[in-house]
Amino acid sequence: MGEPGHVPDIDVGCGFDTDGDGRPDTVLEPDGVDLVVAVDLDGDRFADQVLRIGPDAVVRLVGPEPPDAGPVDAPVDGFGDQ
């Protein structure tokens, strides 16, 4: 998916609209045993944040960390339990 510190140019224009604004903003892609989630945060059709979810359920950020990001290298326990 690219070198550390670099967010690859992933076009999300053929992905899913996850924020309900009528424009696709998220693409899911398998990459080996990982699931890659690419998200466009600024509406330019290219991923601003790329996450890798491994078979161990650990989420890893690919590329630079956004300024308001929390922990990114920890299992997501209880996801959806609110």
Side-chain angles (χ1 to χ4, degrees):
M1 286 295 323
E3 60 201 48
H6 176 262
V7 175
D9 288 333
I10 299 174
D11 184 351
V12 300
C14 61
F16 301 96
D17 174 17
T18 61
D19 61 6
D21 67 356
R23 295 178 306 192
D25 53 46
T26 303
V27 172
L28 305 173
E29 297 179 7
D31 186 23
V33 296
D34 290 347
L35 175 65
V36 176
V37 181
V39 182
D40 174 18
L41 301 172
D42 61 7
D44 66 357
R45 283 188 51 153
F46 290 96
D48 301 302
Q49 184 176 59
V50 180
L51 305 171
R52 296 181 77 85
I53 304 172
D56 54 359
V58 172
V59 178
R60 294 171 181 85
L61 185 66
V62 176
E65 186 173 329
D68 60 349
V72 294
D73 198 17
V76 180
D77 293 327
F79 182 76
D81 297 338
Q82 297 183 0

